[in-house]
């Protein structure tokens, strides 16, 4: 291994590890953070949430990556890892027509052989001091709509505590969150288009291949449960705690499509992995 895992953390938003839809994996030649997408439906896939199912399947696929795998080959292997389950259960055609039900995930992968970081979807990374991330443009718009709706509710007498118990802003935007899947891996040249691993062909949007040059490089891979990345886990955690204490609904300090619900410890699952290259 020509890199060292310096620190890592994996936390469920509920505080229960078994509900976590993020994953971390590190082998001799690859390291990755996987962010399983939160389902907008109550349905599960093979007894798990679709996000957790996708994250677990992709974790196993990355653990089996050939040493010299390229970015394009990796995308194909990850796509196939999900697609083969669809075919095995005779669901491929159904899920092709019902994208909202697909197990879906984003990934940030470091390839030590290729000396590259690969981003697919809305995971993020920091290489030395430079941050790279892709936030879905539809979710940026939807988060602003939720923020406005919550501000109106507070003006009309609602409390932050009541909105944590029942997030009527989240309920209001749910049709939009479901509708945005029309842009997922869409081949149309639409400004709201975005990419994700979902078992179907990945389009060239929100994909990054970032070279890692030089020795003794610090690399942080993280899911979007960390709204701001710092060079250490402690700094990233401290920012998150401070932001959530000030704005548990996540509609002012940083705009999000969901906040910290009553009984939860954060607004989203989170995964953080820091590496140093030799």
């Amino acid at each position: 291994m020509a890199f060292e895992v310096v620190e890592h953390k994996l936390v469920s938003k509920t505080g229960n590890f078994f509900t976590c839809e993020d994953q971390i994996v590190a082998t001799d030649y690859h390291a990755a953070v996987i962010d399983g997408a939160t389902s907008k439906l109550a349905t599960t896939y093979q007894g798990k949430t679709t996000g957790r199912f996708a994250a677990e399947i992709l974790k196993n696929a990355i653990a089996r990556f050939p040493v010299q795998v390229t970015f394009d080959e990796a995308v194909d292997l990850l796509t196939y890892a999900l697609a083969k389950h669809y075919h095995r259960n005779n669901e491929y055609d159904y899920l092709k027509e019902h994208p909202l039900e697909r197990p879906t995930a984003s990934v940030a992968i470091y390839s030590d052989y290729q000396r590259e970081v690969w981003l697919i979807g809305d995971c993020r990374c920091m290489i030395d001091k430079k941050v790279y991330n892709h936030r879905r443009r539809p979710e940026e718009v939807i988060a602003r709509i939720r923020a406005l709706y919550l501000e109106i509710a507070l003006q009309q007498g609602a409390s932050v505590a009541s909105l944590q118990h029942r997030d009527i802003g989240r309920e209001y935007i749910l049709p939009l969150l479901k509708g945005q899947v029309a842009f997922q891996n869409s081949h149309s040249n639409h400004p709201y288009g975005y990419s994700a691993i979902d078992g179907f062909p990945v389009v060239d949007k929100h994909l990054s291949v970032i070279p890692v040059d030089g020795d003794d490089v610090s690399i942080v891979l993280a899911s979007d449960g960390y709204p701001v990345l710092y060079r250490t886990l402690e700094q990233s955690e401290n920012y998150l705690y401070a932001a959530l204490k000030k704005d548990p609904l996540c509609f002012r300090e940083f705009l999000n499509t969901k906040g910290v619900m009553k009984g939860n410890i954060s607004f989203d699952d989170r995964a953080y992995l820091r590496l140093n290259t030799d």
Side-chain angles (χ1 to χ4, degrees), residues 160 164 238-250 253-254 260 265:
V160 170
Q164 283 188 270
N238 286 344
Y239 173 85
L240 178 64
Y241 287 139
L244 294 182
K245 183 176 181 180
K246 185 176 180 180
D247 179 25
L249 289 172
C250 304
E253 195 71 9
F254 62 91
V260 184
I265 61 174

Side-chain angles (χ1 to χ4, degrees), residues 75-264:
V75 172
D76 288 343
L77 287 171
L78 294 175
T79 299
Y80 174 72
L82 287 174
K84 72 178 180 181
H85 284 275
Y86 306 161
H87 284 295
R88 185 178 299 161
N89 294 292
N90 295 316
E91 295 172 328
Y92 189 88
D93 290 339
Y94 175 83
L95 290 173
K96 184 177 182 179
E97 299 302 321
H98 298 84
L100 196 60
E101 298 183 38
R102 298 175 192 167
T104 300
S106 298
V107 296
I109 304 171
Y110 170 63
S111 166
D112 195 54
Y113 181 87
Q114 301 293 346
R115 299 287 288 185
E116 294 172 341
V117 171
W118 305 329
L119 297 181
I120 307 168
D122 54 8
C123 283
R124 64 273 316 271
C125 77
M126 172 184 282
I127 301 178
D128 284 334
K129 295 182 179 180
K130 186 169 183 179
V131 175
Y132 302 82
N133 64 68
H134 299 299
R135 191 173 184 193
R136 297 174 184 172
R137 190 177 174 195
E139 289 200 354
E140 292 180 342
V141 175
I142 295 169
R144 291 184 180 277
I145 295 172
R146 172 177 173 267
L148 175 59
Y149 196 88
L150 291 179
E151 293 286 9
I152 292 171
L154 290 170
Q155 286 292 316
Q156 294 177 341
S159 67
V160 170
S162 70
L163 293 171
Q164 283 188 270
H165 182 75
R166 179 188 171 192
D167 187 345
I168 59 175
R170 176 78 176 182
E171 293 175 7
Y172 184 75
I173 64 171
L174 190 56
L176 295 175
L177 290 172
K178 291 178 179 179
Q180 73 169 339
V181 76
F183 303 113
Q184 182 170 299
N185 290 328
S186 170
H187 291 280
S188 65
N189 188 26
H190 200 286
Y192 287 147
Y194 63 92
S195 301
I197 301 293
D198 64 0
F200 292 84
V202 177
V203 297
D204 189 17
K205 296 175 182 177
H206 286 194
L207 306 179
S208 291
V209 176
I210 307 161
V212 177
D213 299 320
D215 298 324
D216 195 24
V217 179
S218 175
I219 301 171
V220 174
L221 309 176
S223 66
D224 62 359
Y226 288 97
V228 177
L229 278 190
Y230 290 92
R231 296 190 70 183
T232 69
L233 175 60
E234 182 180 15
Q235 289 173 304
S236 300
E237 286 278 310
N238 286 344
Y239 173 85
L240 178 64
Y241 287 139
L244 294 182
K245 183 176 181 180
K246 185 176 180 180
D247 179 25
L249 289 172
C250 304
F251 75 118
R252 289 175 175 166
E253 195 71 9
F254 62 91
L255 298 184
N256 206 280
T257 59
K258 54 191 173 185
V260 184
M261 297 304 295
K262 185 177 180 180
N264 286 357

